[in-house]
Amino acid sequence: MIIVMTVGATEQEANDVRDQIRALDLTPHDNYGTERVVIAVLGDVGPIRDHLMSKLSSMPGIESVTPISRPFKLASRETHPEDTIIELKGTKIGNGSLTIMAGPCSIEGPEMMIETAKAVAAAGATILRGGAFKPRTSPYSFQGLGVEGLRYLAAASAETGLPTITEVMEPGQVEVVVEHSDILQVGTRNMQNYSLLTAVGKAGKPVMLKRGYGATIEEWLMAAEYIIAAGQPNVILCERGIRTFETYTRNTLDLTAVPLLHHLTHLPVIVDPSHATGKRWLVRPMALAAVAAGADGIMVEVHPNPNEALSDGEQSLTFDQFRDMAGAIRHIHDEVRTLIKDPFVTDGPAKVGGTSKH
Ligand code: PEP
Ligand code: MN
């Protein structure tokens, strides 16, 4: 439920509303960024909706009370109609600009990290990526350089001025990752690791939540809800492909997710064609398609010598390939910017999980 206070409502009137919500064992959550006070009611409103509505109807200073139909409340556009815009060291995500996150799958050493950072910065990357804690399918594969890797990432950031993103795999790593990186990444394998979602939500830095490879859009948004409910409003969603019966590609890139998410949520949407396809030559066309579908940006893996990469070499771009792709997606972005439709406009209500399967 969303309560919009009138423009002239007093702080006392808003406090009375918050107290009334608490009195029914629910939680009031203030929504900032609008000219009025907007209070979302969190908790199981269902059984006491009528009772709460009648209590609120006699209170002064309230302009409207609207039930939220989605199970994700804070992440939904109903609660927060304006796009969430994240500002980081001079770059903005979600404001209509094109975010380009690029860097190696794994940070392998100081030289390759700096060299890659300089190359992607010169070619137009806006955020530097690099994995230090690596979730690998095999326990015998390279597991990342850990804290040492984080230091190389921070040094490359200082050298290029690019803000950084890196994965955090468990709550115990959150503190050290926060010290070294501007954005925390939650990987596909951890999308439903609820203690990790709560820990990153409390860490005070923006979080990029990758879609679980077997997760529905609704499960993904519920995972984002955990992070926002824990205190972090700046959540970025990253579509990185889901598992289907197809085996030519590493995953299947679900680009429908892009306009669908823009309709359902105010959070920025990034597409990762590297993990989605697993093949270097498929990264460029799918990056172009992602931007054409309205993505706020992309994340791609880049390596000085992909054939010798310690992880994900087959899907990593060379510096030249990255430069070429970055130019192409900027071109598409300039073209499609004015063509993307308002996320509110659909042919009917979005039915999450409600479509029939054939
Ligand atoms: C990554 O970005 O390095 C990564 C491991 O991605 P995902 O969690 O999407 O597999
Ligand atoms: Mn990778």
Side-chain angles (χ1 to χ4, degrees):
M1 187 177 287
I2 296 291
I3 300 157
V4 179
M5 304 299 291
T6 57
V7 175
T10 63
E11 194 44 38
Q12 186 56 51
E13 286 167 341
N15 274 335
D16 290 345
V17 169
R18 294 183 191 104
D19 287 345
Q20 179 58 66
I21 294 165
R22 286 193 201 98
L24 294 171
D25 270 346
L26 299 166
T27 309
H29 183 100
D30 282 8
N31 239 322
Y32 299 101
T34 54
E35 56 185 19
R36 317 150 188 263
V37 176
V38 177
I39 303 168
V41 183
L42 304 183
D44 192 7
V45 179
I48 48 166
R49 172 170 293 130
D50 292 346
H51 179 58
L52 178 57
M53 291 289 257
S54 78
K55 288 271 182 201
L56 294 171
S57 66
S58 61
M59 297 182 76
I62 294 178
E63 174 149 318
S64 65
V65 179
T66 321
I68 314 175
S69 52
R70 315 276 183 211
F72 43 90
K73 309 289 179 200
L74 302 173
S76 86
R77 262 215 199 269
E78 289 169 313
T79 315
H80 189 296
E82 316 81 33
D83 289 336
T84 285
I85 297 172
I86 301 171
E87 210 166 336
L88 274 173
K89 290 187 177 163
T91 185
K92 286 186 182 165
I93 306 170
N95 67 335
S97 62
L98 182 64
T99 295
I100 305 181
M101 304 182 176
C105 175
S106 300
I107 301 158
E108 299 171 6
E111 294 86 12
M112 70 80 76
M113 193 61 234
I114 292 274
E115 190 189 348
T116 310
K118 285 183 179 164
V120 298
T126 58
I127 293 174
L128 183 63
R129 68 150 283 152
F133 296 108
K134 295 302 303 175
R136 303 305 302 279
T137 303
S138 166
Y140 310 117
S141 299
F142 177 58
Q143 304 285 309
L145 294 180
V147 178
E148 188 189 345
L150 293 177
R151 282 194 212 109
Y152 304 150
L153 181 68
S157 167
E159 178 88 19
T160 55
L162 291 180
T164 55
I165 179 166
T166 195
E167 179 162 354
V168 49
M169 284 171 56
E170 49 185 82
Q173 292 166 352
V174 170
E175 199 180 328
V176 72
V177 172
V178 164
E179 266 172 45
H180 292 86
S181 179
D182 300 297
I183 307 175
L184 312 183
Q185 176 174 319
V186 174
T188 192
R189 296 160 177 85
N190 271 317
M191 191 207 81
Q192 285 180 311
N193 179 342
Y194 297 116
S195 45
L196 179 62
L197 298 178
T198 301
V200 294
K202 289 182 178 162
K205 287 210 169 161
V207 176
M208 187 166 90
L209 179 65
K210 293 191 113 182
R211 181 180 186 175
Y213 57 79
T216 64
I217 302 258
E218 190 160 299
E219 286 164 342
W220 187 11
L221 288 168
M222 293 306 288
E225 187 81 7
Y226 266 87
I227 301 172
I228 308 173
Q232 180 51 254
N234 293 327
V235 177
I236 303 159
L237 299 167
C238 177
E239 164 62 46
R240 47 78 70 206
I242 49 177
R243 180 163 288 179
T244 67
F245 50 79
E246 183 51 67
T247 54
Y248 271 109
T249 49
R250 184 173 177 181
N251 291 284
T252 297
L253 180 55
D254 177 13
L255 281 184
T256 314
V258 175
L260 187 52
L261 287 171
H262 280 147
H263 176 66
L264 293 170
T265 178
H266 49 90
L267 302 172
V269 181
I270 297 288
V271 170
D272 170 354
S274 303
H275 292 88
T277 64
K279 289 182 165 67
R280 193 176 309 148
W281 63 276
L282 285 173
V283 169
R284 185 183 194 274
M286 297 323 288
L288 289 170
V291 174
D296 295 287
I298 59 149
M299 168 182 263
V300 290
E301 291 182 336
V302 180
H303 193 280
N305 187 355
N307 292 333
E308 283 175 17
L310 296 182
S311 60
D312 287 351
E314 328 82 75
Q315 68 194 34
S316 298
L317 303 178
T318 62
F319 295 166
D320 283 349
Q321 286 168 332
F322 175 71
R323 192 178 318 110
D324 167 64
M325 185 217 62
I329 60 173
R330 283 203 182 282
H331 185 72
I332 289 283
H333 183 251
D334 289 343
E335 293 291 324
V336 300
R337 229 200 289 238
T338 54
L339 302 176
I340 302 290
K341 288 222 175 182
D342 186 318
F344 287 112
V345 181
T346 60
D347 291 336
K351 291 193 192 111
V352 176
T355 45
S356 59
K357 294 212 168 154
H358 298 283

